[in-house]
Amino acid sequence: MTTTIVPRHAPSVRPDQSDDVWRKAGDWLQRHQATIRMVQWTMVLVYAVLLIVPVFLPLPDNAAYLWSNFTRFAQFVFWGVWWPLVLLGTALVGRIWCGIFCPEGAISEFASGRGRGRAIPRWMTWPGWPTAAFACTTLYGQMTSVYQYPAPTLLILGGSTLAAALIGFLYGRNKRVWCRYLCPVSGVFGLLAKLAPLHFRVEPPLWQLSQLSGTKPKAINCAPLVPIRTMRGASDCHMCGRCSGFRGAVRLARRSPNHEIVHVAGAVAKPWETILIVTGLMGLAAGAFQWSVSPWFVQAKTWAAERLIEYGVTWPLEATAPWWILTNYPGDVMTLLDGALLVAYVLAAAIASGASTFSSLALAARCLGPWRTRRLHHLAQSLIPLAGAGVLLGLSGLTVSQLRSDGIVLPFVDPLRAAVLTMATFWSGVLCWQVTGIYSRQPVRRMLALFLVGLAMMPAVAGWVLLFWIW
Ligand code: SF4
């Protein structure tokens, strides 16, 4: 006689009819992995052409347009279209870029299937790598003018791809160890994916039911090493679809874009995510987009040059470095003074913005009750819409300036920027309000915390206002 064991917690959430289309879309991905691989290798080809060919072409002159010069075209595609769309896409549909289109992830996984298959070393699992790598590549990209020249683009993106292949070859078997632990943009993608209204939802009761029924489904290979059974958010998931339908408990589903930040992100304190949001995206990245048009930078440079001349030390004003250290092209040369001031400006923006934002967040966390570090990190998560929108606006600034240099003026840009910034700030405020509700029922405390988080947003908002409307 067989006994049917019914779990104490019967499945409470069942796929409703309106979600059927998403479930089917997830299942479609699961069944079409060969098609996805074809897409990935096509992207590898496109990526390689855009990355490598411009290096062998002469640098474009003033008469070159993006439709008549391949280097200009590649520049525009990479920085003006590709990156802004990847960021926007991640916030809209999760990390589908990583799982379906990313050439680096595909190469890393391919290498991992044929490599040494070693165990992942402990040092690699340090959670600070994505934040540190993001900061270093952002700074180095500015020093070498990565948005303007093909050689540093090849060096930075190509170097990252080589590293991804090497890590894949050495560690894991059919995994994406690089993407999981080291990719310089995985931290940013992980943050933005928390806003996505789509995710692969795991229903623990259905999973449990499947286990109790004795079913042994074929194992799935989750390349970015997500613990699927306990997955509650979209931050680490690459949306590859391989686990769709697994044990009848995983499906692509809609959710509120606020859900993960309000109800999931506070469960575990993630200090490195706080640093990435507050110092990386709202400080360092903003400084990187600003310095070249900042009158403060010009004033600091004039002041430093005058002092150096006064003391008879003129070599920092004349000495240059190879292009792979500091920008060095005919008619566009950074001196050591330029380079030092650029690094100082971007770091100062990161420290100043980070310190003031962090202080306001800490006060807001304290307003909600006795000090809890986890609460501070949870409140920091509510800044993700503003932090993400800032980077998107910064990148779209490149799109606009590239088009403008080719005579294409987009008249609606300023109102659109204002709308994006306002909506992102408002969204962060709404998230903050909902997060405060988890920690306090007292309206006064919550209002005070909201006010302080509003203050925390001010440096970033002011930075973008200065960049787009005042300077
Ligand atoms: S949890 Fe893993 S296998 Fe499932 S969709 Fe996400 S990345 Fe793919």
Side-chain angles (χ1 to χ4, degrees):
M1 192 179 88
T2 49
T3 312
T4 307
I5 304 169
V6 180
R8 282 183 62 197
H9 301 287
S12 56
V13 188
R14 289 183 182 282
D16 67 36
Q17 291 298 316
S18 62
D19 273 347
D20 213 37
V21 62
W22 293 115
R23 184 185 55 73
K24 283 182 181 159
D27 291 348
W28 187 92
L29 288 175
Q30 195 271 333
R31 289 195 309 274
H32 291 82
Q33 291 296 311
T35 312
I36 291 174
R37 263 186 294 284
M38 270 173 52
V39 171
Q40 286 170 338
W41 287 109
T42 308
M43 292 300 288
V44 170
L45 192 67
V46 173
Y47 175 70
V49 170
L50 290 173
L51 201 58
I52 296 168
V53 172
V55 176
F56 296 99
L57 300 174
L59 284 176
D61 54 24
N62 289 341
Y65 293 97
L66 66 91
W67 52 86
S68 65
N69 180 285
F70 189 76
T71 305
R72 290 285 328 277
F73 173 76
Q75 238 172 29
F76 180 70
V77 171
F78 260 133
W79 306 115
V81 180
W82 193 320
W83 275 111
L85 284 185
V86 169
L87 292 184
L88 192 62
T90 306
L92 291 176
V93 286
R95 297 177 67 170
I96 214 151
W97 160 259
C98 302
I100 297 186
F101 301 105
C102 179
E104 213 161 82
I107 290 171
S108 195
E109 190 177 342
F110 178 81
S112 172
R114 286 144 190 86
R116 299 282 157 82
R118 290 185 194 156
I120 299 164
R122 203 178 149 81
W123 63 264
M124 203 179 281
T125 61
W126 179 55
W129 285 125
T131 304
F134 172 79
C136 291
T137 47
T138 302
L139 211 49
Y140 185 56
Q142 292 303 306
M143 290 163 63
T144 53
S145 298
V146 69
Y147 299 136
Q148 280 84 35
Y149 297 102
T153 306
L154 177 62
L155 186 65
I156 293 175
L157 296 185
S160 166
T161 306
L162 275 182
L166 183 68
I167 294 292
F169 183 78
L170 293 176
Y171 303 107
R173 178 65 68 205
N174 293 312
K175 299 294 181 218
R176 294 185 173 203
V177 176
W178 168 264
C179 312
R180 181 79 170 92
Y181 296 110
L182 300 175
C183 171
V185 279
S186 70
V188 180
F189 291 166
L191 293 177
L192 291 178
K194 294 184 189 197
L195 304 172
L198 276 181
H199 72 143
F200 276 95
R201 180 180 298 164
V202 183
E203 311 278 11
L206 293 177
W207 190 295
Q208 197 185 0
L209 200 62
S210 157
Q211 281 184 318
L212 291 171
S213 71
T215 316
K216 283 227 180 331
K218 201 169 153 237
I220 356 158
N221 171 32
C222 175
L225 301 145
V226 180
I228 301 170
R229 184 180 178 170
T230 54
M231 176 170 74
R232 290 185 63 208
S235 195
D236 297 326
C237 168
H238 284 200
M239 304 289 279
C240 69
R242 291 179 202 175
C243 63
S244 187
F246 187 69
R247 287 194 177 275
V250 186
R251 67 191 166 96
L252 186 62
R254 287 176 302 138
R255 64 176 182 174
S256 156
N258 293 355
H259 175 82
E260 185 164 347
I261 287 178
V262 177
H263 299 291
V264 180
V268 180
K270 294 194 170 165
W272 282 105
E273 287 194 357
T274 302
I275 293 171
L276 182 58
I277 297 165
V278 168
T279 310
L281 298 177
M282 295 171 78
L284 191 100
F289 286 115
Q290 271 173 17
W291 72 269
S292 60
V293 292
S294 165
W296 299 337
F297 180 82
V298 177
Q299 283 164 10
K301 189 175 155 182
T302 310
W303 182 87
E306 283 171 0
R307 294 295 80 71
L308 285 170
I309 292 168
E310 204 174 296
Y311 293 112
V313 186
T314 53
W315 61 266
L317 283 77
E318 292 151 7
T320 57
W323 65 265
W324 44 271
I325 298 178
L326 283 178
T327 307
N328 195 341
Y329 301 91
D332 185 9
V333 179
M334 259 189 210
T335 63
L336 290 192
L337 178 65
D338 293 327
L341 283 176
L342 139 66
V343 172
Y345 186 97
V346 175
L347 290 180
I351 293 166
S353 169
S356 66
T357 305
F358 194 83
S359 316
S360 303
L361 281 178
L363 284 174
R366 182 64 184 84
C367 275
L368 294 169
W371 177 255
R372 298 276 183 278
T373 310
R374 193 162 62 88
R375 193 186 302 140
L376 163 76
H377 295 302
H378 197 182
L379 283 173
Q381 297 273 324
S382 66
L383 300 177
I384 291 175
L386 178 60
V391 177
L392 184 68
L393 286 178
L395 281 172
S396 69
L398 297 172
T399 320
V400 172
S401 61
Q402 283 172 334
L403 287 174
R404 194 183 295 140
S405 68
D406 287 341
I408 302 169
V409 178
L410 305 176
F412 50 84
V413 167
D414 272 346
L416 194 62
R417 277 176 178 154
V420 169
L421 199 57
T422 308
M423 284 190 303
T425 310
F426 181 72
W427 188 358
S428 282
V430 170
L431 283 171
C432 167
W433 181 252
Q434 293 183 353
V435 169
T436 61
I438 291 177
Y439 299 103
S440 174
R441 290 277 152 226
Q442 297 179 31
V444 177
R445 281 179 181 269
R446 291 179 67 192
M447 289 299 289
L448 203 53
L450 179 64
F451 171 74
L452 286 161
V453 172
L455 279 187
M457 292 190 244
M458 282 307 110
V461 173
W464 296 114
V465 169
L466 282 174
L467 176 63
F468 291 124
W469 290 284
I470 295 179
W471 287 342

